[in-house]
Amino acid sequence: MTINTLGETPGQRLLQLRLTQAHAELSRRGGKEVSVTDCAYRCGFNDLSHFYRAFRQRYGMTPGAVVAEVRDGGAIVQ
């Protein structure tokens, strides 16, 4: 597979994978509330500002809003 086939650079692909992982972790139900900071670092983000901007751009809401939705019993859609 080439980059042109995927339509994104390796860096963009890695960012999307990390965001998907973070969203899944923040959306997980049944456990204790997840720390957004800890989640960001576990998913490979070293800059929280970059994480928040990229997350909001992809999902249309902040990571904290996802945690709040889970806590309040709302449905999270990826």
Side-chain angles (χ1 to χ4, degrees):
M1 225 181 275
T2 65
I3 293 173
N4 291 339
T5 303
L6 295 175
E8 58 190 4
T9 67
Q12 291 169 330
R13 180 67 181 145
L14 182 58
L15 175 62
Q16 296 308 314
L17 290 171
R18 287 178 175 167
L19 288 171
T20 299
Q21 179 182 356
H23 190 275
E25 187 173 318
L26 293 171
S27 300
R28 198 167 295 131
R29 299 179 193 280
K32 66 178 186 172
E33 191 167 302
V34 177
S35 161
V36 172
T37 300
D38 290 344
C39 175
Y41 288 131
R42 272 194 301 277
C43 294
F45 291 92
N46 296 319
D47 180 342
L48 290 177
S49 295
H50 174 65
F51 171 66
Y52 273 84
R53 279 191 308 272
F55 194 97
R56 177 177 263 185
Q57 182 178 21
R58 176 159 179 196
Y59 295 107
M61 59 194 314
T62 65
V66 172
V67 172
E69 284 281 330
V70 170
R71 182 184 59 235
D72 297 339
I76 301 294
V77 178
Q78 285 191 4

